[in-house]
Amino acid sequence: MRRLPNPESIPVSFSPIDRTTQTFAAGGFTVFGGWHLDPELKVESFPANLPYGLYELTIDTPDAGSILAYAQATVERGGAFGPLRVTVEARDDRLHVYFVLLGDATAMTLTLLGDGKPLLRVGACSLRRISTTRWRLGRGWRGLKRRALSPGVIARDLMSGWEGLNNGGVLEVQRRILDVINPTSTLPNTMIAMRIGSLIRKVAAQNAEAMTQLDAPVASPASLSIVVPIYRTRERWLLALVDSLNRQTDPTFEVVFVFDGEQPDLSELVSVNAGGAYRSTQVVLPDNRGVSAATNAGMRAASGEYVVVVDHDDVIETHFVEAFRAATANEPADILYADEAIVDEDMTAVISIATRGRFDIRHYLSHPYIVHPIFIRRSLALDAGLLNETMRISHDVEFFLRCIAKARSVVQIPLVLYFWRTHAASLGHVGSSQVLGNTRAAVVAYLRQTRDWTSFEVEPGINFNELDVRPPLPASAKAAIVIPTKNGKEILSACVRSIVERAAKNRISADIHVIDHESTDPATLAYLEEQEGAGHIRVVPHSGPWNYPEINNAALRRILPGSHYTHIVFMNNDIEIVTDDWLDRMIEQFSWGDVGVVGCCLQYPDGRVQHGGVVVGLTGAADHSHRFEELMQPGGDIRSPGHLSSLVATRDYSAVTAALMIVPVSLFEAVGGFDEQLAVGFNDTDLCLRIGELGYHSTYVGSVLAVHYESVTRTDAKSLDHPEDTALFENRYRDLIDNSDPYYGMQWDWTGTKLVVAAKPTKAFRLRKVQMRV
């Protein structure tokens, strides 16, 4: 390629892309302020079609020392933006951003990572093409000089070189030397998106905005006592917690620090650093009695109407108390909980966001998906008997279930209010081998206390701390399996065969009714005649335009009278059952008494998830949770749990798909069957929602698996060709679509089915209240 001369420096400027970033002039600088995310800036006056080469973007800023030396960038090529790999160095009140252009870029954006500063001051900026060789030599020389000042680093380098020689030979040593003299200063996009500093600023701004969206209070805010059991935690971790207490936007709370045995150094640290308008007390146990005993001592000493336990190594968000008090003033309840961020040991990066839906007892029994923070009415906690002091592991799960058994209502605050530090020394990691046994015992005790079931099963689930809870089968249950079809002998025969082959594995009696919608294919007609003659199926003919609700409603008017069927199984002809005892597992859920519809996990033939529950308002009118996620974990032998074990748990959703769905005959008739106005789309979701209005839940059974041979080219519900159905459904359920389906995490990006945390909320903030069956 012909070498082009390096151009002179070209002055450039920035403008914010994020509308929440304020821009103003001060002291000769352009100041970008008010941002809670890392600022995303457009490079103004970007020269189009710069020649191929290495470029340096220099930014004068006195804040260079407080900006992490990382950034991400995008460039526009041919009308589309794509990622650009960049390297950033901070030197002498300047940021130096290096990147390679291929000669066809026409525009550029830059996102800087700026932990520790609410403002970013930017002075003169310039862009120039530089020598690649000189840059590498200069950068390597600066890296060597920095390392020469630290003998410990040099010793580690020598040890690394020796290990490289033993493990990989000369080439590995060469690679490690290059890493030393020319270290990378880039981060993967996932790490950039999940940095703790960025998240804390984002969450604080979102929570502040959410507080303004609450309705007028209906009661006075409740008082709160924060109980902190302390046992030999690291000083810096405890200081971080105390600092988060000191930074609360609402100081109307009490903190009870409980020292599990005498710890004078930590007690003094708390005394010196805990300050502000809130009240704090210290309780010192004479010896180490365990976290349950320490927590109980704190709850007894507390004076608030509610208590919440905060671990000594965790951190609470700035609006923790304000959000709780606002929630109790708007939706009083016995128990409240919120979302949390799970972070690494050093609290520098976010591992995941535990964003949850409204309280779901079936989900909790399958997997204790709520950990922090849980606010419990103190009188309820005392009435439940406080924590079991003989338990070292899963004591919180056992206590929570005893409280839930007595609670009249539970409210979810769908905000991230807690930062959970995970590390190898935590009780959950140290005692992981005991977790499942203790959790199972707690679930069994809860079911015995709250249910009149004469028999039930609670066995280990698929992954860590998951349980397979199986209620008893309803008495005298009998199912009609209804399968509409038109031609398609191959897929229909696979569907029927998968049912017939598993009939002996199920205790529920069932008949297969195939609705023949004007089939003309000779092979299909011959197959139907053959299977009906063999007694495997019953054929119900239907004529007229394709209208899924009408086809099923009409067939059932002929099937149900005098049949003694208790349940209807709606099934597509392109379903192939995988789980042997699928029918028993699904129908036994109706023994809960509040379950009105049951669905299961469906997979595409390529091994990706097709259905993991229906979420109203996802990607538009409604779509399937977890769609296109991988069904199996890497290696292919174990089911992927999904977020908070949602893919394998038994849990509730607003709806499930009628590709494989079971409804009691009584409820189907009570709501008048399918709505025939929704000829193609959303008729199953509408049915579930109308049954839900009667007080019944749509329950997803993750332990039941079937293959759905639906075309994977249809990426979301909006691509289906039924605009009239979509318009009718959206008009009917507009409020639910706009204000978020309560069963789905508020923090997710609702524009896609894969579970990705959104940069900004895409749904209106609402508290989510559940009335409990006491």
Side-chain angles (χ1 to χ4, degrees):
M1 175 179 291
R2 181 171 63 90
R3 289 192 57 83
L4 296 173
N6 292 338
E8 298 292 329
S9 295
I10 303 170
V12 296
S13 60
F14 295 104
S15 64
I17 294 175
D18 187 345
R19 61 180 177 82
T20 63
T21 301
Q22 304 166 5
T23 305
F24 55 93
F29 295 98
T30 299
V31 182
F32 299 99
W35 44 275
H36 58 275
L37 297 169
D38 299 310
E40 185 179 12
L41 308 175
K42 178 181 180 182
V43 181
E44 299 288 357
S45 307
F46 186 82
N49 300 316
L50 288 172
Y52 169 85
L54 175 66
Y55 286 82
E56 177 186 41
L57 176 63
T58 304
I59 306 171
D60 288 350
T61 172
D63 302 316
S66 65
I67 301 292
L68 287 182
Y70 300 108
Q72 62 181 355
T74 61
V75 290
E76 184 178 11
R77 298 188 182 97
F81 274 93
L84 177 69
R85 183 179 177 87
V86 297
T87 298
V88 185
E89 295 179 3
R91 303 191 307 271
D92 305 324
D93 290 338
R94 284 183 174 181
L95 290 177
H96 302 266
V97 184
Y98 302 97
F99 50 89
V100 174
L101 292 179
L102 301 180
D104 56 353
T106 57
M108 177 179 176
T109 66
L110 183 70
T111 302
L112 299 173
L113 310 188
D115 277 355
K117 285 284 186 180
L119 303 175
L120 175 64
R121 295 168 290 178
V122 174
C125 306
S126 61
L127 178 69
R128 69 188 182 109
R129 187 167 178 262
I130 62 174
S131 165
T132 304
T133 302
R134 289 180 181 176
W135 173 71
R136 286 178 175 170
L137 289 173
R139 189 158 180 253
W141 175 245
R142 289 191 295 272
L144 288 173
K145 284 200 301 183
R146 286 193 301 269
R147 303 181 87 81
L149 298 176
S150 177
V153 172
I154 295 176
R156 286 197 299 271
D157 289 344
L158 293 174
M159 182 64 69
S160 175
W162 178 251
E163 291 175 352
L165 184 63
N166 290 330
N167 296 328
V170 175
L171 289 178
E172 177 63 16
V173 174
Q174 181 182 22
R175 185 191 67 78
R176 296 191 182 199
I177 291 173
L178 290 174
D179 284 345
V180 169
I181 65 173
N182 193 23
T184 179
S185 289
T186 59
L187 278 176
N189 288 346
T190 52
M191 287 295 293
I192 290 174
M194 298 296 278
R195 287 170 44 261
I196 187 68
S198 176
L199 180 73
I200 288 174
R201 293 195 304 277
K202 180 182 80 168
V203 165
Q206 291 178 355
N207 291 352
E209 172 64 22
M211 295 298 98
T212 68
Q213 298 178 30
L214 286 172
D215 297 330
V218 298
S220 298
S223 57
L224 177 66
S225 294
I226 299 175
V227 177
V228 183
I230 300 173
Y231 181 70
R232 295 183 179 178
T233 188
R234 300 181 192 178
E235 288 190 2
R236 61 186 179 89
W237 290 357
L238 185 56
L239 279 173
L241 169 59
V242 171
D243 182 62
S244 71
L245 293 167
N246 294 343
R247 293 175 180 271
Q248 289 300 298
T249 55
D250 185 341
T252 315
F253 64 98
E254 171 191 54
V255 183
V256 182
F257 296 99
V258 185
F259 293 90
D260 190 12
E262 295 186 358
Q263 302 162 74
D265 52 341
L266 296 181
S267 176
E268 182 181 2
L269 182 147
V270 169
S271 299
V272 170
N273 292 280
Y278 65 89
R279 176 173 175 262
S280 69
T281 59
Q282 294 190 19
V283 175
V284 181
L285 302 183
D287 50 30
N288 174 222
R289 297 179 179 177
V291 66
S292 294
T295 301
N296 288 345
M299 290 186 178
R300 293 189 185 101
S303 61
E305 297 173 72
Y306 288 78
V307 290
V308 59
V309 179
V310 174
D311 293 341
H312 58 199
D313 49 4
D314 294 338
V315 168
I316 60 175
E317 200 276 321
T318 306
H319 299 84
F320 183 89
V321 175
E322 181 184 356
F324 160 79
R325 283 171 52 80
T328 58
N330 279 264
E331 288 284 4
D334 288 332
I335 298 175
L336 303 93
Y337 66 96
D339 293 347
E340 65 184 314
I342 302 170
V343 302
D344 66 351
E345 180 172 336
D346 296 324
M347 279 203 173
T348 56
V350 182
I351 298 171
S352 64
I353 302 293
T355 178
R356 307 168 173 115
R358 56 173 275 175
F359 181 67
D360 178 356
I361 186 59
R362 280 174 279 276
H363 191 180
Y364 193 87
L365 296 177
S366 295
H367 175 70
Y369 70 101
I370 305 169
V371 184
H372 317 96
I374 300 174
F375 308 86
I376 301 177
R377 197 181 294 274
R378 182 171 175 271
S379 59
L380 176 65
L382 294 172
D383 186 43
L386 299 180
L387 283 82
N388 184 342
E389 297 185 9
T390 66
M391 295 183 68
R392 181 170 174 267
I393 296 296
S394 299
H395 48 278
D396 52 344
V397 174
E398 193 266 350
F399 171 61
F400 180 74
L401 284 173
R402 282 189 282 115
C403 290
I404 281 292
K406 294 178 176 292
R408 294 163 298 178
S409 58
V410 180
V411 164
Q412 186 219 2
I413 309 171
L415 301 174
V416 175
L417 297 179
Y418 196 97
F419 296 92
W420 177 12
R421 189 195 308 266
T422 179
H423 53 91
S426 65
L427 281 177
H429 285 88
V430 173
S432 59
S433 61
Q434 305 173 34
V435 168
L436 184 62
N438 286 2
T439 301
R440 179 184 179 277
V443 169
V444 169
Y446 170 82
L447 291 173
R448 286 175 176 166
Q449 178 185 354
T450 60
R451 300 286 148 183
D452 58 0
W453 296 338
T454 56
S455 64
F456 59 87
E457 298 176 15
V458 180
E459 299 299 333
I462 297 173
N463 301 286
F464 173 72
N465 210 21
E466 293 172 352
L467 291 171
D468 183 13
V469 178
R470 301 195 59 178
L473 283 170
S476 305
K478 183 180 180 182
I481 303 174
V482 181
I483 308 172
T485 193
K486 181 172 184 176
N487 299 319
K489 181 250 182 183
E490 294 303 323
I491 58 172
L492 176 63
S493 61
C495 174
V496 171
R497 184 169 56 252
S498 72
I499 300 170
V500 172
E501 289 177 349
R502 291 164 176 78
K505 305 286 181 149
N506 293 273
R507 291 169 288 170
I508 295 292
S509 173
D511 299 321
I512 303 173
H513 300 266
V514 176
I515 309 173
D516 178 21
H517 180 228
E518 302 177 341
S519 291
T520 56
D521 172 50
T524 300
L525 294 172
Y527 171 79
L528 292 174
E529 182 178 0
E530 171 196 324
Q531 291 296 304
E532 187 169 34
H536 293 157
I537 67 172
R538 300 174 185 177
V539 178
V540 182
H542 182 85
S543 300
W546 173 263
N547 181 306
Y548 180 86
E550 181 186 3
I551 290 172
N552 282 280
N553 289 347
L556 288 168
R557 284 194 293 268
R558 300 173 61 180
I559 294 170
L560 294 179
S563 65
H564 304 293
Y565 290 125
T566 58
H567 296 81
I568 309 164
V569 181
F570 295 101
M571 187 181 298
N572 283 11
N573 64 349
D574 57 354
I575 289 289
E576 187 172 346
I577 303 296
V578 174
T579 305
D580 284 341
D581 56 348
W582 68 280
L583 189 57
D584 286 357
R585 284 180 171 273
M586 294 178 73
I587 287 186
E588 65 195 15
Q589 298 304 320
F590 294 104
S591 290
W592 284 99
D594 63 346
V595 173
V597 187
V598 174
C600 68
C601 183
L602 302 181
Q603 70 169 96
Y604 287 116
D606 65 2
R608 294 182 296 166
V609 176
Q610 192 270 339
H611 170 262
V614 173
V615 179
V616 178
L618 185 63
T619 75
D623 211 329
H624 296 176
S625 176
H626 292 82
R627 186 196 286 260
F628 301 126
E629 298 279 1
E630 292 297 328
L631 180 76
M632 309 298 289
Q633 296 184 36
D637 295 329
I638 303 175
R639 287 272 304 277
S640 173
H643 180 65
L644 301 177
S645 297
S646 288
L647 273 177
V648 295
T650 296
R651 56 156 297 179
D652 294 340
Y653 281 97
S654 284
V656 292
T657 178
L660 178 47
M661 177 175 84
I662 304 181
V663 182
V665 171
S666 58
L667 288 180
F668 185 77
E669 293 178 337
V671 298
F674 287 108
D675 184 349
E676 297 179 9
Q677 296 180 83
L678 297 166
V680 180
F682 305 115
N683 39 65
D684 48 359
T685 303
D686 171 76
L687 178 70
C688 293
L689 293 174
R690 286 187 287 120
I691 291 175
E693 291 172 357
L694 300 181
Y696 295 90
H697 299 282
S698 293
T699 299
Y700 163 89
V701 182
S703 62
V704 174
L705 181 64
V707 179
H708 189 190
Y709 291 91
E710 180 188 53
S711 171
V712 296
T713 60
R714 296 185 292 179
T715 58
D716 58 54
K718 291 181 289 187
S719 67
L720 300 177
D721 186 20
H722 44 71
E724 297 85 0
D725 295 346
T726 302
L728 176 59
F729 182 87
E730 289 179 341
N731 182 64
R732 183 176 293 175
Y733 299 106
R734 174 52 56 195
D735 184 67
L736 181 59
I737 292 170
D738 290 344
N739 293 322
S740 83
D741 186 323
Y743 293 94
Y744 200 62
M746 183 73 78
Q747 313 303 326
W748 294 131
D749 179 0
W750 290 60
T751 64
T753 59
K754 288 192 174 183
L755 276 61
V756 177
V757 176
K760 299 176 185 177
T762 53
K763 298 290 182 179
F765 171 75
R766 293 289 187 275
L767 297 172
R768 296 159 164 180
K769 188 170 187 176
V770 174
Q771 297 295 337
M772 300 298 295
R773 170 184 167 184
V774 180

